[in-house]
Amino acid sequence: MGQHVLLRHRDIPDIHRLDVYRRHGGFEALEQAVTRMKPHEVTEVVKASGLRGRGGAAFPTGLKWSFVDNKNWPHYVVANADESEPGTFKDREIMEGNPFQFLEGMAIAAYAVGANLAYIYLRGEFWQIAHFLDQKIAEMEAAGFLGHRLFGRDFSLQIHTHLGAGAYICGEETAMLESLEGKRGQPRIRPPFPAVKGLYGKPTVVNNVETLTNLPPILQNGADWYRSLGTADSAGVKIFSLSGRVRKPGNYELPFGTTFRQLIYEHGGGILEGRPPRAILPAGASSSLIRVDDKALDTPMDYASVRTLGSDLGSASVIVVDDTVSIEWVIRKTIHFFKHESCGKCTPCREGTYWMFNIIERMEHGRGTAEDVNLLLHVARQMQGKCLCPLGEFSTMAVVTGIERFSQDFQVGEKA
Amino acid sequence: MTKSVTLTIDGQAITVPEGTLVVDAARMAGIDIPVFCYHPKMEPVGMCRMCLVEIGRPLIDRNTGQAILDEKGDPKLQFMPKLETACTNPVSEGMVVLTSSEKARAGQKSTIEFLLTSHPLDCPICDKGGECPLQNLTMAYGPGKGRFLYDEKMHLAKNVPLGPLIYLDQERCIQCARCVRFQDEIVGDAVLGFGERGRAMQIISLSEPPFDSVFSGNTTDICPVGALTTADFRFGARPWELSASASICAQCSVGCNITFNTRRAARAGGRVVIKRVMPRQNEEVNEIWICDKGRFAYHYTESRKRLTRPLMRKDGKLGRASWEAATRLAAEAFAQAKKNFVVLASGRLSNEDLFNLKALADHLGGRAVLYSDMGGGDLTALVGVGPGTDFGQMGRGTAIVVVASDLYEEAPIWYLRLKQAAERGATLIVANPRPTRLERFASFVVRYAYGDEVKTIQSLTKKGKIGDALQARNLVVLFGSEGLGLEGSTALATACARLLHESGHVGRPNNGLIGVWPRVNDQGAWELGFRPAENLAALLRGKAVYVVAADPAGDDPRLAKALQAARFVAVQDLFATETAKLANVVFPAQAYTEREGTFVSGERRVQRFYAAVPPLGESRPDFAIASQVGKQMGIILEGTSAPVVFEILSADHPSFAGLTYAALAEVRPQWPIVDRRDLYYGGTTYENTQGMGKHLSNAAQRGEALHLPRFPRRAARRPTARGLLAVPVTKLYDRGVTVSSAELLKPKISETFVALPPSAAERLGIEDGARVKLRLNGVSRAVRVKVDEAVASGVVLVPRSMGLSIRRPVVARVRMAESAARS
């Protein structure tokens, strides 16, 4: 793909400079929206484009906006830049390389839902990016693309950055809102969803950085253009964060429907040392493990197709595992991660991740028994469907699919 | 009217108001859905995942809006693939809930198993054992055995003081956040929170001083495990060994319903003693809460310093005497004094006591004087709130004025009730010379100078939006005595009564005047004819004085002098007070925990208390002693049965008309349904089976002519060029006789200090924390100073009942103590 839609800095040097961004059509979409479209018309275009949330849940973006309660004001837009899923590193590249397109997307979203205040919630480790974005926001304000009465119209917008304090859970939208309000980052019960009751109890749209970055080109080129990219189920382009045992890990912006084989071999340069791939985690640590065979490798990467493999595309953080890696090791890593990140609010996740960690550690140190594999599977299943938020659910995905699909990797008692 | 919704839970069809949560609907139908984090007084959070149930909702045809029917003609149901939490889902029409299906039971069982993975299972040494929701629900819903390896349990600290009153056992905590949410939502002070995360998540105190709340004890009632225990009760007894006696808290005029848990204790020499104080549900008074003073200050009733025998002065010294001799001596002196006989009694006494004492004074032509520096009780009898009044029902359409009172310190439960009324939409107007905590929830705050109370109330109606707010359908005015003596508070009460009367807010439920009295039964004393005296010292000189439940000599050196100049002094009390030390005869009274009786709350609700423990020594009930003294002079007063005294007094006083002990013992159905048999829902609070009390009627309701008095015409005291205006303020924890025996509360009772504004401190060269000489009413005392920006210039705040004699605003002198010692 010659021309990037999102990672345009790879094609256009210095697009992080306001003048360069403007020379390449920057802020035309925002101006078009604010001066020539009604807010609901913007929402309609986004609906028609088929754009779905890029944070992992793939909820239709325009539909989400249309849930915003217009009887309750003010409204807020929050950009989810908490990018914490192990294996996901796409938002970072967007914000560092092509910041104005992301910020313009935020402004478009804010216009569509009538928000005059928008926040970018960044993971704490992104503090340099927050400084960088603060500069970019200041430049936009100076140039009249943010602030009071944009383009002379009755629409004003301020954007603020906000740093998290190092919790994976704050990528979950309601925990993010709690954290943004200055509270402990723990998820809220949904419903009500943020579009109805979000930040400070007010209707709030929470969109992922990548989702928002799609908006300027969609407005400029139209919904049909966007739909022409990707597949019927999954419109447009996606940044695939490729990592694991591949030669060329990195972000690859590709249309939905690109196969795993194309991603791994054409773009990623194949597996290290030419070894065979065994498993794919298509959505970072939260993945259900895909057992690799030809059918899997030739499966197009779109939301519906990946589901046929008993997994989910999620945020498209494709981690490739080859035959040098034991799946038991993989799930030990994921369990350790989720045990560390469980916020502690709900019982099954708090206790379940701790319990699973104890079992897998036991197995790792050769103290496991045959029953322990079953117990681990049972504990994970016992957590499923009972947790307050998706984190607890995610923590069981690799465990259950790992044990079920790679049972030979769980040999008990061999390690001394 | 809220709409009704009909749903089916476990095959039982029930109809409940729209918006009811499934868990509450089940409770109403008598079906148990187990919970840990959910509490009916707080917003649901769905954390513990104990209440997992299957919920099916009828499928609705999008085109017709009608339910889709199956082949049998029943609505087709759609069940979610996952179990749902009954605590976060509101009911909907046609909903079907399965609480005990195989799937639901499996979910509940799994939550118990998860909760017990790291639980220490130290039930045999746990205070909660025997009244523990986790224990009970484990028996009912748990898997029976755990698969978690015992050696892998997480070990944590077991004796963490969250504050001086509450201990946390981190191992037992199940992170349900009930305590955190109680402080946050119910109290409005987020002094607790969580530290760490995941399995390491722990309750921590966020405040300095730690757990800075006067409601902290309630968290131990709603804690569903043994994680939170009170410093008072922990390791004190097993719950199943305890007896329960219904009572009323005697620490302030709210009249919280409580239960005394008692047990025979080796440590008390085999006597039956109070082991703890628990709230008893009365949704019209205290709901299921009590304050920490009510929970922990009871120790005075069992103090070793209690009087146990009558004493008589012989050869200048008090010595043991028989009841016969002691009462005869007093009777002779009183009979001789006739109209020079004065009963000086306080609102610590029950109605029955006060009635007999008043009868004694009346028979002799003497005076019944209420020992109080706060006036206006005659007005609350006229236009006070009456039957049908309930703070819990107040919301939109009600305006509430609080003037000259810091409710958080003076009547904590009213603070909670008013906060909630404001949250339900009541217009709360708080008028006080300095900021108080209640102001955070007020619609309007009025600040005035000490001395301008009357003017402030009189001008409220002219104050734009406040004036409009006072036109609400219902209006309640609570007046206190912040910065006021008897004269000032009487004038303030008069202004408040007139405001209510003139705006038509009298004689109806949820309308009228409420006094924030310092003592539990001040209102009762007023109703029964006791009146405070403005110049008490002059009144006592040369009289035969019967001092009951009061220590004037200890409170005010001038009263001590007056009593020394009295003809005869009889003292009837729990303790050998300063007054008792100069008495001719001393009668040991029973504590109210040892007998039965009734109190009238500030809301004019008559409530019964019952005997909880056997009497100490030879002590007798106050009304019985009065009767015995009377009998020695040929005056016949009922002296054995409190119910009979009450019958006589209710026949005698129109506001008590028709009330009997039986009527006071009636209970009405209450929501939430709390029950000691299933503690998981409401906590360990006691259900009310022994009476919710009845309101007194008021003159306005009875249609009697209302003659509101004129204003007393005297100029208010102001600061002078050389002196500061010392004004009395009330603190929750003071050195009063009913508090100071509680060792546990000692750290909470601050050193005696007076508060100065920065301007005065600067002028006098005094720094925060310095020791100063305070010259007050001719007496000099060394005290510590707090410099407080909230104090108006020219004013010095002097706490009541902290050893400084201040009964009304006076001009005082403050200067640096010679040593200028600072700690």
Side-chain angles (χ1 to χ4, degrees), chain A residues 166-167 184 186 189 340-348 350-351 354-355 358 362 378 382 386-388, chain B residues 45-49 107 110 113-115 117-118 147-149 152 154 174-175 194 196-199 201:
Chain A
R184 187 181 169 77
Q186 288 193 327
I189 286 278
H340 185 258
E341 294 297 341
S342 171
C343 79
K345 184 167 180 174
C346 79
T347 306
R350 179 183 68 239
E351 307 291 344
Y354 180 72
W355 193 355
N358 276 301
R362 219 152 61 209
H378 202 275
Q382 187 164 311
K386 303 192 185 73
C387 299
L388 179 93
Chain B
V45 285
M47 289 165 68
C48 75
R49 317 307 281 178
S110 78
E113 188 183 25
F114 278 132
L115 284 174
T117 52
S118 276
R147 294 174 294 173
F148 193 87
L149 292 189
E152 291 178 357
M154 184 177 254
I174 59 165
Q175 289 85 16
F194 281 116
E196 303 296 332
R197 70 182 180 206
R199 190 58 195 81
M201 186 167 85

Side-chain angles (χ1 to χ4, degrees), chain A residues 88-107:
Chain A
T88 311
F89 37 84
K90 61 193 179 61
D91 297 336
R92 171 180 191 155
E93 184 175 347
I94 292 173
M95 291 186 289
E96 286 178 338
N98 191 12
F100 288 117
Q101 186 171 328
F102 156 57
L103 292 169
E104 183 181 359
M106 266 189 99

Side-chain angles (χ1 to χ4, degrees), chain B residues 405-740:
Chain B
S405 180
D406 181 354
L407 289 183
Y408 188 83
E409 295 282 338
E410 297 176 40
I413 291 296
W414 282 351
Y415 161 90
L416 282 193
R417 304 274 284 169
L418 262 49
K419 167 187 176 280
Q420 280 156 26
E423 284 164 353
R424 282 189 300 265
T427 307
L428 180 61
I429 302 158
V430 177
N432 210 64
R434 65 187 170 97
T436 60
R437 288 206 193 207
L438 188 63
E439 283 177 16
R440 283 182 293 167
F441 312 104
S443 308
F444 301 101
V445 172
V446 180
R447 197 76 70 224
Y448 59 84
Y450 287 102
D452 285 345
E453 292 79 9
V454 167
K455 210 160 67 181
T456 303
I457 292 297
Q458 284 174 328
S459 62
L460 275 189
T461 51
K462 292 164 212 133
K463 276 197 159 120
K465 282 185 182 164
I466 298 180
D468 297 342
L470 294 176
Q471 300 304 312
R473 190 158 40 85
N474 299 320
L475 175 63
V476 174
V477 180
L478 294 96
F479 73 99
S481 57
E482 157 117 14
L484 297 168
L486 179 57
E487 187 185 61
S489 53
T490 304
L492 172 61
T494 309
C496 294
R498 283 185 176 276
L499 172 73
L500 286 158
H501 186 231
E502 282 156 19
S503 60
H505 290 105
V506 296
R508 289 185 285 127
N510 293 326
N511 281 279
L513 190 60
I514 294 175
V516 187
W517 305 110
R519 293 184 188 84
V520 60
N521 199 31
D522 277 333
Q523 184 63 42
W526 282 90
E527 304 277 351
L528 295 170
F530 276 79
R531 294 289 178 270
E534 182 59 43
N535 196 345
L536 189 55
L539 180 77
L540 297 176
R541 267 185 211 102
K543 304 282 169 46
V545 191
Y546 189 4
V547 184
V548 190
D551 183 19
D555 293 341
D556 186 343
R558 284 176 304 179
L559 293 178
K561 264 190 203 154
L563 284 166
Q564 277 155 3
R567 186 196 298 184
F568 182 87
V569 177
V571 168
Q572 181 170 315
D573 210 319
L574 299 175
F575 296 99
T577 59
E578 290 303 311
T579 312
K581 284 176 192 159
L582 48 86
N584 300 79
V585 59
V586 179
F587 303 128
Q590 283 177 7
Y592 86 107
T593 52
E594 296 161 354
R595 41 159 295 198
E596 64 178 333
T598 57
F599 292 137
V600 180
S601 75
E603 286 178 84
R604 303 182 71 251
R605 180 187 296 268
V606 197
Q607 303 188 102
R608 282 181 69 175
F609 57 86
Y610 299 78
V613 290
L616 206 63
E618 294 176 23
S619 64
R620 293 183 179 177
D622 289 281
F623 73 91
I625 304 171
S627 158
Q628 204 175 348
V629 171
K631 199 170 156 198
Q632 297 279 14
M633 347 175 206
I635 300 166
I636 301 306
L637 300 170
E638 171 60 32
T640 51
S641 164
V644 173
V645 179
F646 189 80
E647 238 171 72
I648 300 166
L649 87 81
S650 59
D652 216 34
H653 292 272
S655 57
F656 286 79
L659 298 179
T660 61
Y661 265 36
L664 301 182
E666 285 168 15
V667 289
R668 296 171 280 286
Q670 302 192 69
W671 179 262
I673 302 163
V674 303
D675 195 328
R676 288 286 301 180
R677 283 167 302 182
D678 50 11
L679 309 140
Y680 69 89
Y681 187 72
T684 50
T685 183
Y686 274 80
E687 62 266 39
N688 199 324
T689 57
Q690 287 181 277
M692 296 173 68
K694 296 264 185 201
H695 270 107
L696 297 180
S697 66
N698 58 41
Q701 251 162 338
R702 294 191 300 271
E704 294 167 15
L706 300 178
H707 297 294
L708 296 180
R710 287 163 175 276
F711 286 107
R713 279 183 189 280
R714 279 246 303 262
R717 287 197 188 272
R718 304 286 176 189
T720 63
R722 298 182 57 206
L724 294 166
L725 182 67
V727 296
V729 294
T730 303
K731 294 269 158 218
L732 184 68
Y733 300 117
D734 60 22
R735 302 230 180 110
V737 66
T738 57
V739 187
S740 51

Side-chain angles (χ1 to χ4, degrees), chain A residues 332-370:
Chain A
R332 190 162 68 87
K333 288 289 169 192
T334 64
I335 290 173
H336 182 265
F337 175 74
F338 286 109
K339 178 224 159 211
H340 185 258
E341 294 297 341
S342 171
C343 79
K345 184 167 180 174
C346 79
T347 306
C349 177
R350 179 183 68 239
E351 307 291 344
T353 52
Y354 180 72
W355 193 355
M356 289 196 298
F357 179 73
N358 276 301
I359 299 168
I360 197 82
E361 280 292 291
R362 219 152 61 209
M363 289 162 63
E364 169 68 17
H365 292 108
R367 289 185 281 108
T369 64

